[in-house]
């Protein structure tokens, strides 16, 4: 829907033919773009204003890096400023003076508290700890049942009371129980509440006083808009927040709320929910979030996953093959297998900048991959290594073998040819002007050097 | 990081493979055409807008003429409930009441719109339009700007559109409720059911959210509260099968309305979106879905528009329910949804009680947005 920030900044600089140090007018124009990018990413207006002022100051005093273009310089400054707010690195859970560690989970309705609580329990259990979940959401119909079912799934016991009235005293009894049973962690799931609901906010305060939590974690939906500041402020006033869990990051929201929340509360985002399965909770990575908010994708996560999926020697060999442009269907098949190890394409595309604009979704690619595989597997070894052999009758045979149409085979062979051409450009031309032909809407991550 | 190899090469390889795959899949079909109007594949059930709540001739006609949720009983209005939320624009404009509108006034207006989640592009445009309108109408004090802004915002909503929920000419009427996770689908269904049973309609609910733990039990509690029946299967069952059974059940029991609850799903997950389309297809083999209501959380930011677009494409959304308007969030994304996608906002959720569902009224909404 929107151009990425880096594209737009590049446009400005091309227009201004800027060289070297930024002048004030350029800074102004750049800052306007940054303001827009942040607002489009749902960062709260107040936070945007403060942030832009900060960046202006930094830009004024910035040293000039010879190796960076002005656009890259500004992005670097913005990125740094973002990370200063979001945090330098992942912050884990605090350790209590004495066990159990008490985690109080709070948030608005529908932010994902119960799921986050179960995911936390699952994570702690996998670390060899003995967590206990506490069903202190006494308001939402069947909330207790939901937690009990999730507890069963992750094999973590759930403390619940049939006759329940008062969340605070229930939490107190749960704590006593946990201490007696030598649980290492107590995870208290509370009712979702509107931050303007004075009674419910008071109840949350009472629960907190009853258990004196090691951590009070605010659960926040990554899709939240401008209201994030109000929510964060209100919860901060009522309880001693220690951190944030950002949920539903597997959607395509840019997640500006993350910035608003950390800015207002000065508390780190500790975990991110990235899917519906109970294993889908990740340590939060500020640098990746910074890129996401700026619309620059999450290239780091992708690199990490790729490193796990491809072995190094193979990668070096592949690099050489690609540069020499003798990439064969056999190689393609091998790389596809490695790619599959990185997880569904749909989740990978989300990490690449500009991919959301593509005319097809990752899921479609995921669905079509078996067909591509089948086509390649229906080729003989010779055909795989020398696609020029593929004449009409061979293509017909391949299509029959793969349960595909000849058109499918043609398309694949044609596409493969284009990829090879592209590689030739990368390898042969090197710094040449030849532009890669990318699918519409796709933009390569900055700094890929392709 | 292994020595001797740039990390980018991994990505480069992955990207190359991806490009090949994208090329293969991508050329198989054209990118979907988009128009400004909701292009749900389902033709409108009622040709005349006024006929929405009338029963078909010949059909047994219960004495119901009013659209649901337009209740006679006095309920706290959206405005009342919003007194709790923070005021920002009106105070500032009121403070500047006597002065001529200046740059600061316009900045305030734009800021207010942005903070209401209207979207920065729209906020800028509305402010510009307002500026020229103020000049034309020779507005001399900032105090008048608020009224003008309210007028402008109301005019952005389609005043002609029928926001009443559509009943089928023959029993049972089937409504589906959709949305991303945590927007308030189940709660909305509970409120809808209560409103209908309050008008002596026989209502049954279909627990087609078979994914989330205890979703059916949550719906059961709402059904009990509202006096509605519930059809459910085992957890993990095929949601289409639940919907189908529920339809058979509703027929057999001569229910007036069947409301189908669906699992929350992120609009980015194609298989889950396909599933939604399938549920609708299953129902439409034998009946008709006259409303596919998308539930949007008022706290949602710009992603709300993307959600609406994707759900509309997958399952043909007929209207939006804007929930959680009882907080400080203004739900400005609703404006963008109605304006750019042509999907009418039909209802608003303003609390957790059975009665906390109201028909959407642009004027009330705008008043609350500017309060």
């Amino acid at each position: 829907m929107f151009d990425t920030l880096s594209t737009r900044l590049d446009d400005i600089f091309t227009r201004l033919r800027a060289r070297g140090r930024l002048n004030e007018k350029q800074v102004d124009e750049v800052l306007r773009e940054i303001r827009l990018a942040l607002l489009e990413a749902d960062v709260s207006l107040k936070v945007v204003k403060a942030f832009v002022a900060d960046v202006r100051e930094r830009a004024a005093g910035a040293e000039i890096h010879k190796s960076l273009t002005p656009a890259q310089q500004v992005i670097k400054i913005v990125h740094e400023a973002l990370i200063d707010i979001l945090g330098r690195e992942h912050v884990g859970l605090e350790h209590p003076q004495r066990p159990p560690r008490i985690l109080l989970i709070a948030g608005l309705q529908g932010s994902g508290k119960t799921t986050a609580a179960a995911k936390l329990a699952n994570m702690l259990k996998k670390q060899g700890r003995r967590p206990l979940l506490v069903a202190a959401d006494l308001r939402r119909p069947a909330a207790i049942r939901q937690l009990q079912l999730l507890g069963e799934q992750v094999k973590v016991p759930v403390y619940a009371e049939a006759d329940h009235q008062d969340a605070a005293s229930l939490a107190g009894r749960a704590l006593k129980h946990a201490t007696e049973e030598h649980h290492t962690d107590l995870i208290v799931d509370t009712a979702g509440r509107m931050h303007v609901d004075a009674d419910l906010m008071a109840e949350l305060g009472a629960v907190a006083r009853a258990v004196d939590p090691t951590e009070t974690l605010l659960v926040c939906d990554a899709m939240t808009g401008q209201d994030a500041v109000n929510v964060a402020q209100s919860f901060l006033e009522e309880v001693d927040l220690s951190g944030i869990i950002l949920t539903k990051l597997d959607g395509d929201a840019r997640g500006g709320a993350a910035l608003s929340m950390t800015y207002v509360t000065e508390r780190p985002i500790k975990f991110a929910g990235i899917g519906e399965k109970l294993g889908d909770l990740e340590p939060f990575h500020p640098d990746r979030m910074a890129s996401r908010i700026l619309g620059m994708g999450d290239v780091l996560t992708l690199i990490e996953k790729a490193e796990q999926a491809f072995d190094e020697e193979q990668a070096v060999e592949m690099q050489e093959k690609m540069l020499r442009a003798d990439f064969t269907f056999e190689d393609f098949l091998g790389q596809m297998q490695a790619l599959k190890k990185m997880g569904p394409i749909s989740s990978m595309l989300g990490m690449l900048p500009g991919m959301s604009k593509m005319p097809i979704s990752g899921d479609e690619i995921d669905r079509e991959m078996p067909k591509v595989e089948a086509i390649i597997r229906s080729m003989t070894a010779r055909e795989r290594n020398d696609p020029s052999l593929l004449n009409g009758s061979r293509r017909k045979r391949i299509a029959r073998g793969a349960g595909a149409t000849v058109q499918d085979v043609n398309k694949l062979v044609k596409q493969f040819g284009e990829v090879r051409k592209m590689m030739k450009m990368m390898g042969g031309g090197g710094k040449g002007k030849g532009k890669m032909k990318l699918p519409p809407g796709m933009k390569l991550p900055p700094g890929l050097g392709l | 990081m292994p020595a001797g190899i740039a990390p980018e090469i991994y990505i480069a390889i992955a990207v190359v493979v991806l490009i090949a795959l994208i090329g293969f899949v991508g050329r198989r079909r054209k990118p979907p055409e988009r128009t400004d109007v909701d292009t749900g594949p389902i033709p409108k059930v009622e040709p005349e807008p006024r006929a929405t709540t009338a029963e078909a001739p010949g059909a047994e006609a219960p004495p119901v003429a009013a659209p649901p949720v337009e209740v006679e009983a006095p309920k706290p209005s959206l405005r009342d409930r919003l007194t709790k939320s923070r005021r920002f624009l009106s105070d500032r404009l009121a403070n500047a009441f006597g002065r001529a509108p200046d740059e600061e006034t316009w900045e305030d207006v734009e800021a207010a719109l942005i903070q209401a989640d209207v979207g920065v592009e729209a906020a800028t445009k509305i402010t510009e339009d307002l500026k020229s309108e103020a000049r034309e109408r020779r507005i001399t004090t900032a105090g008048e700007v608020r009224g003008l802004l309210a007028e402008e915002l109301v005019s952005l909503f389609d005043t002609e559109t029928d926001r009443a929920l559509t009943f089928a000419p023959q029993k049972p009427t089937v409504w589906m409720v959709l949305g991303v996770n945590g927007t308030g689908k189940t709660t909305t269904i509970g409120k809808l059911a209560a409103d209908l049973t309050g008008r002596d309609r026989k209502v049954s609910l279909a627990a087609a959210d078979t994914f989330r733990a205890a979703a059916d039990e949550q719906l059961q509690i709402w059904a009990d509260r509202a006096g509605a029946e519930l059809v459910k299967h085992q957890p993990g069952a095929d949601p289409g099968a639940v919907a189908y059974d529920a339809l058979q059940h509703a027929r057999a029991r001569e229910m007036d309305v069947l409301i189908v609850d669906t699992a929350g799903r992120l609009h980015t997950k194609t298989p889950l979106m396909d599933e939604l389309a399938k549920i609708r297809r299953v129902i439409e083999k034998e009946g008709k879905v006259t409303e596919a209501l998308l539930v949007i959380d008022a706290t949602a930011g710009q992603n709300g528009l993307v959600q609406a677009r994707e759900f509309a494409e997958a399952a043909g959304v007929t209207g939006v329910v804007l929930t959680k308007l009882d907080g400080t969030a203004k739900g400005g994304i609703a404006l963008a949804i109605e304006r750019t996608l042509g999907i009418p906002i039909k209802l608003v959720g303003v609390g957790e009680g059975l009665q906390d569902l109201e028909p959407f009224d642009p004027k009330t909404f705008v008043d609350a947005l500017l309060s």
Side-chain angles (χ1 to χ4, degrees):
Chain A
M1 203 183 339
F2 304 110
D3 285 339
T4 62
L5 181 63
S6 45
T7 324
R8 291 201 307 217
L9 291 183
D10 276 334
D11 289 349
I12 294 181
F13 290 114
T14 321
R15 194 151 33 85
L16 295 175
R17 296 174 194 285
R19 293 282 180 273
R21 188 182 288 272
L22 301 173
N23 65 36
E24 208 168 300
K25 189 179 164 235
Q26 290 163 343
V27 171
D28 276 347
E29 221 175 307
V30 168
L31 290 179
R32 200 170 323 139
E33 288 300 327
I34 289 166
R35 177 180 173 273
L36 272 179
L38 294 175
L39 287 173
E40 281 164 3
D42 288 323
V43 180
S44 297
L45 183 63
K46 287 177 209 160
V47 177
V48 171
K49 280 186 176 162
F51 180 81
V52 166
D54 179 35
V55 170
R56 179 188 298 278
E57 235 167 72
R58 288 179 192 225
E63 282 177 38
I64 310 158
H65 293 269
K66 283 257 155 57
S67 55
L68 298 180
T69 66
Q72 285 169 331
Q73 274 192 44
V74 176
I75 287 179
K76 191 161 173 284
I77 293 170
V78 171
H79 201 264
E80 290 277 306
L82 276 175
I83 286 178
D84 279 349
I85 298 170
L86 289 169
R88 289 263 146 217
E89 52 201 27
H90 167 63
V91 184
L93 292 172
E94 298 288 325
H95 292 281
Q97 303 267 339
R98 57 193 161 84
R101 171 163 56 196
I102 300 155
L103 307 172
L104 182 62
I105 311 294
L108 297 183
Q109 292 96 336
S111 52
K113 287 173 300 303
T114 308
T115 307
K119 285 179 178 177
L120 270 176
N122 180 51
M123 186 188 77
L124 292 169
K125 191 180 164 70
K126 287 207 164 130
Q127 292 168 4
R129 301 180 65 93
R130 298 188 60 233
L132 174 70
L133 283 161
V134 182
D137 177 357
L138 309 179
R139 292 183 46 91
R140 188 168 54 108
I144 297 173
R145 188 78 192 114
Q146 185 188 357
L147 192 66
Q148 282 171 333
L149 287 171
L150 294 177
E152 273 170 37
Q153 284 176 31
V154 298
K155 301 193 174 61
V156 169
V158 177
Y159 183 91
E161 291 177 8
D163 185 24
H164 37 65
Q165 293 297 325
D166 177 39
S169 61
L170 178 142
R173 287 190 292 278
L175 174 57
K176 191 162 168 282
H177 176 79
T179 316
E180 285 163 7
E181 301 283 316
H182 304 292
H183 282 284
T184 55
D185 300 83
L186 188 71
I187 305 168
V188 186
D189 180 30
T190 64
R193 58 202 80 226
M194 272 295 178
H195 53 291
V196 287
D197 187 327
D199 295 346
L200 272 179
M201 288 305 279
E203 183 204 82
L204 182 63
V207 174
R209 281 190 299 279
V211 294
D212 187 20
T214 323
E215 293 249 17
T216 302
L217 298 166
L218 178 65
V219 178
C220 170
D221 185 328
M223 297 179 278
T224 311
Q226 293 284 325
D227 202 38
V229 274
N230 298 332
V231 174
Q233 236 149 17
S234 312
F235 274 91
L236 193 65
E237 280 162 23
E238 192 61 46
V239 286
D240 184 17
L241 287 185
S242 60
I244 295 162
I245 298 177
L246 197 63
T247 58
K248 307 179 203 172
L249 255 186
D250 46 332
D252 57 0
R254 296 261 294 278
L259 190 69
S260 306
M261 291 250 172
T262 39
Y263 188 87
V264 170
T265 61
E266 300 184 324
R267 303 291 189 272
I269 298 173
K270 298 204 163 181
F271 299 100
I274 49 147
E276 292 195 325
K277 292 192 211 75
L278 293 168
D280 293 337
L281 187 73
E282 274 187 351
F284 177 75
H285 294 287
D287 45 349
R288 296 172 190 177
M289 193 69 214
S291 299
R292 179 169 173 154
I293 291 174
L294 288 176
M296 288 163 56
D298 187 0
V299 181
L300 285 171
T301 304
L302 204 57
I303 289 179
E304 206 171 77
K305 287 198 172 182
E307 276 176 352
Q308 287 164 6
F310 296 86
D311 80 57
E312 191 194 340
E313 265 171 51
Q314 209 189 11
V316 173
E317 191 193 309
M318 208 41 64
Q319 181 182 20
E320 277 164 13
K321 278 197 158 189
M322 280 163 73
L323 293 178
R324 285 199 312 270
D326 56 6
F327 189 68
T328 65
F329 270 118
E330 194 69 58
D331 300 323
F332 183 53
L333 192 62
Q335 295 315 304
M336 234 165 64
Q337 302 305 327
L339 195 67
K340 278 206 302 207
K341 273 192 260 166
M342 291 170 65
I345 306 282
S346 48
S347 74
M348 255 182 285
L349 287 186
M351 297 176 209
L352 278 172
M355 286 296 200
S356 51
K357 283 179 288 181
M358 292 219 315
I360 41 166
S361 73
D363 293 296
E364 278 173 278
I365 301 176
D366 285 324
R367 265 202 310 256
E368 293 290 335
M369 255 179 35
K371 186 183 273 175
V372 174
E373 264 183 64
I375 293 174
I376 300 177
R377 285 189 199 284
S378 301
M379 295 178 187
T380 64
R382 271 186 66 206
E383 286 164 348
R384 288 186 208 177
N385 288 315
D386 184 5
S388 64
L389 289 174
L390 294 170
N391 58 22
S393 68
R394 281 176 189 262
R395 290 184 191 202
K396 250 186 234 161
R397 190 206 75 235
I398 291 165
R400 264 204 313 277
T405 64
V406 178
Q407 282 83 0
D408 284 333
V409 178
N410 288 343
K411 234 169 278 171
L412 183 64
V413 173
K414 185 157 172 270
Q415 184 61 22
F416 185 76
E418 277 177 27
V419 169
R420 267 174 48 144
K421 249 188 262 163
M422 204 170 79
M423 289 177 183
K424 209 173 272 175
M425 245 181 281
M426 286 156 58
K431 291 151 197 89
K433 293 266 181 257
K435 274 242 168 181
M436 267 172 30
K437 204 168 144 201
L438 293 175
M442 179 167 163
K443 194 183 167 304
L444 284 174
L448 268 189
L450 281 180
Chain B
M1 190 153 305
I5 177 163
E8 284 86 359
I9 190 62
Y10 292 112
I11 300 294
I13 296 171
V15 165
V16 164
V17 178
L18 263 179
I19 291 170
L21 288 170
I22 290 165
F24 177 72
V25 180
R27 274 157 217 211
R28 297 165 55 95
R29 67 156 217 218
K30 278 187 262 170
E33 302 260 332
R34 292 214 196 285
T35 60
D36 279 344
V37 190
D38 169 19
T39 51
I42 284 66
K44 275 252 173 322
V45 176
E46 300 290 341
E48 299 158 45
R50 277 295 127 203
T52 45
T53 54
E55 307 293 330
E60 171 202 7
V64 180
V69 205
E70 250 171 62
V71 184
E72 314 74 29
K75 279 194 296 187
S77 72
L78 173 58
R79 188 83 200 265
D80 296 339
R81 288 170 174 281
L82 284 164
T83 49
K84 276 198 225 161
S85 49
R86 292 159 200 215
R87 316 166 66 83
F88 60 113
L89 183 67
S90 46
D91 288 355
R92 298 192 65 169
L93 284 184
N95 289 344
F97 192 79
R99 294 207 323 260
D102 54 13
E103 264 319 296
E104 203 183 319
T105 313
W106 303 120
E107 268 175 36
D108 280 352
V109 166
E110 195 194 32
L113 293 173
I114 290 174
Q115 284 175 303
D117 288 315
V118 165
V120 59
E121 222 169 303
T124 310
K125 180 163 188 312
I126 294 169
T127 310
E128 287 306 316
D129 291 352
L130 196 66
K131 235 194 240 183
S132 50
E133 184 78 15
R135 222 173 298 133
E136 243 167 66
R137 294 219 218 159
R138 301 180 194 285
I139 296 283
T140 51
T141 63
E144 292 166 82
V145 169
R146 189 192 177 281
L148 200 59
L149 174 59
E151 248 177 66
E152 178 83 21
L153 289 175
V154 170
S155 76
L156 292 176
F157 285 99
D158 186 352
T159 46
E160 299 294 300
T161 194
D162 187 2
R163 299 180 190 278
L165 299 186
T166 309
F167 289 85
Q170 271 174 336
K171 289 201 288 191
T173 288
V174 184
W175 296 341
M176 277 175 83
V177 178
L178 343 157
V180 299
N181 315 66
T183 51
K185 285 175 294 301
T186 308
T187 309
T188 297
I189 290 171
K191 295 173 186 175
L192 267 177
D195 183 74
L196 290 165
T197 53
R199 293 160 201 282
D200 297 325
R201 297 261 188 161
K202 284 169 76 181
V203 180
S204 73
L205 310 179
D209 178 357
T210 56
F211 179 79
R212 204 190 61 172
D216 54 344
E217 291 171 57
Q218 185 185 353
L219 194 63
Q220 178 76 63
I221 294 170
W222 281 109
D224 294 345
R225 285 181 188 170
E229 294 188 12
L230 178 78
V231 175
K232 63 175 176 182
H233 283 190
Q234 291 299 309
D238 174 41
V242 180
Y244 185 83
D245 275 3
L247 181 59
Q248 302 303 327
H249 168 268
R251 284 234 174 94
R253 307 260 300 138
E254 296 193 333
M255 292 286 157
D256 294 302
V257 183
L258 167 67
I259 311 178
V260 182
D261 189 15
T262 62
R265 64 201 75 221
L266 290 182
H267 52 285
T268 47
K269 316 224 152 160
T270 314
L272 292 179
M273 296 303 278
D274 291 348
E275 180 192 87
L276 210 53
K278 189 192 140 199
I279 299 172
R280 181 164 185 160
R281 275 200 309 276
V282 166
I283 300 171
E284 303 217 314
K285 261 183 206 155
E286 302 224 350
K288 217 155 211 162
V289 176
T290 56
E291 292 284 354
L293 296 169
L294 176 66
V295 181
I296 295 270
D297 187 331
T299 58
Q302 299 311 298
N303 197 243
L305 182 60
V306 187
Q307 288 168 27
R309 181 176 292 142
E310 295 298 321
F311 274 94
E313 198 170 289
V317 173
T318 59
V320 165
V321 184
L322 193 63
T323 57
K324 307 188 200 173
L325 265 178
D326 47 332
T328 45
K330 305 291 186 182
I333 196 63
L335 181 61
I337 292 173
E338 182 159 323
R339 277 295 282 181
T340 59
L341 301 177
I343 305 172
I345 316 300
K346 295 198 165 172
L347 300 164
V348 294
V350 291
E352 290 187 311
L354 267 182
Q355 313 292 319
D356 294 334
L357 189 68
E358 297 176 7
F360 176 80
D361 170 51
K363 204 177 159 308
T364 318
F365 174 78
V366 166
D367 272 352
L369 191 142
L370 296 178
S371 69

